Amino acid sequence: MSDVAVLGAGMHPWGKWGRSFVEYGRVAARAALADAGIGWRQIQSVVGADTVRGGYPGYVAGATFARALGWQGARVTSVYAACASGAQAIGTARAQILAGLADVVLVVGADCAPKGFFAPAGGDRPDDPDWLRFRVLGATNPAYFALFARRRMALHGDTPDDFAQVKVKNAAAGALNPYARYRRTVTAEQVAASAVVADPLRLLDICATSDGAAALVLSSMEYARRHGAARPVRIRAVSTVTPTYPRTVLDLPDIATDSAAAAEPSPLGFRASIARAAYEEAGLGPEDLSLAEVYDLSTALELEWYEDIGLCAPGEGTKLLHEGATTLGGRTPVNASGGLASFGEAVPAQAIAQVCELTWQLRGTAGDRQVAGARTGITANQGLFGHGSAVVAVR
């Protein structure tokens, strides 16, 4: 049995609060502990998803959160994997539980993000692909998102209005989420009237940068039974696979593709391989999903994820959207939380927040955004340098 139980889920609302990431993380952790009905002293291990902001405490987030909650002797681990940090923290906690190193583990991620888009760390680092893509290409994150949007337009005939409809869908869901930063609906006309950031994407096509935090209390199934949780939400798979050589589609911060002269490209792209590994470990497929939470850095990238997690064939993401299949009430709602379109990026917290949403949905406690009969969900996101993740949760 590879399942671990989700006993508690907690968040600090997303926004721009101007306070320390430690404060956000402490709030989320206490909410998760209260949700689990577990005292802080019962936690045997703390896994923190690191932030590169906040100085040294951000780099040792596990110990930082343990100290903020009050030293009590728990082992600590700190994990950094860019936007996949939260999922790798979940994977680390799960591994500790399955290895018998701990029965109950607290996972926390929090961030206080800068305004505007994320920039590379300071200094000259010519061996750093992230630094190079800014310095050599001038390719900010919005420029990267726009390249993907243009690729979809060229290959599949997608239009800016198709992209706008993703924002309309996610804003409607986010308006129902008390933790979301943006809690208002928008129209396609409002998206089209917003400022151009990186053609063809406009301001409302691109997610913001935010402060926020999320936390989970995970345990062994035996501990959950002793604790009185007879039928908890369970994490069944965590995928953190890397790309396969050769890569023939440009993924920043890499600024060149691998040669296909000596090796045939894999029929499966990197993002699709992340989801496939999770499905294989869980013994499930996309046809089993009740819902999905995906990494919508831009509206166009959400359409790409529909295809990568197997909801439809390549090039059919827009068709799926217009059929209503991915909206609340549709066949497989995607980003019922409102997604990053409604939250913005709080980097180490967002993959944990995705699992919080799956937890509430699978429990049937998501309120007005509840997906009827939810039993299985997947999360998916991608970070820099070949980092990516997918988590499968079941009830």
Side-chain angles (χ1 to χ4, degrees), residues 23 79 86 149 164 195 233 244 266 274-275 284 287 300 307 322 325-326 351 363 367 372 384 389:
E23 181 176 339
V79 176
V233 171
T244 301
S266 169
I274 299 168
L284 300 167
E287 67 279 0
E307 300 158 16
H322 288 299
T326 60
R363 286 177 178 173
L384 297 176
S389 67

Side-chain angles (χ1 to χ4, degrees), residues 307-377:
E307 300 158 16
D308 291 329
I309 66 173
L311 297 184
C312 61
E316 294 184 1
T318 298
K319 179 174 179 287
L320 199 69
L321 174 73
H322 288 299
E323 290 173 350
T326 60
T327 62
L328 286 173
R331 185 176 72 248
T332 312
V334 176
N335 286 338
S337 66
L340 295 182
S342 300
F343 278 75
E345 283 198 272
V347 173
Q350 51 214 29
I352 301 172
Q354 288 179 325
V355 178
C356 287
E357 180 66 18
L358 291 192
T359 299
W360 295 323
Q361 290 284 353
L362 297 181
R363 286 177 178 173
T365 59
D368 291 339
R369 65 184 191 282
Q370 180 63 49
V371 175
R375 289 293 177 267
T376 303

Side-chain angles (χ1 to χ4, degrees), residues 245-248 256-265:
Y245 180 91
R247 299 180 73 186
T248 57
T257 55
D258 297 329
S259 170
E264 286 295 322

Side-chain angles (χ1 to χ4, degrees), residues 258-292:
D258 297 329
S259 170
E264 286 295 322
S266 169
L268 212 59
F270 174 42
R271 282 185 302 276
S273 72
I274 299 168
R276 183 178 68 176
Y279 289 137
E280 288 177 349
E281 182 180 348
L284 300 167
E287 67 279 0
D288 299 306
L289 294 178
S290 304
L291 74 159

Side-chain angles (χ1 to χ4, degrees), residues 148-159:
F148 262 96
R150 280 289 172 194
R151 185 173 185 272
R152 288 197 64 85
M153 293 171 74
L155 289 180
H156 308 309
D158 290 1
T159 68

Side-chain angles (χ1 to χ4, degrees), residues 185-199:
T185 60
V186 302
T187 65
E189 291 74 22
Q190 288 174 311
V191 178
S194 63
V196 173
V197 176
D199 188 59

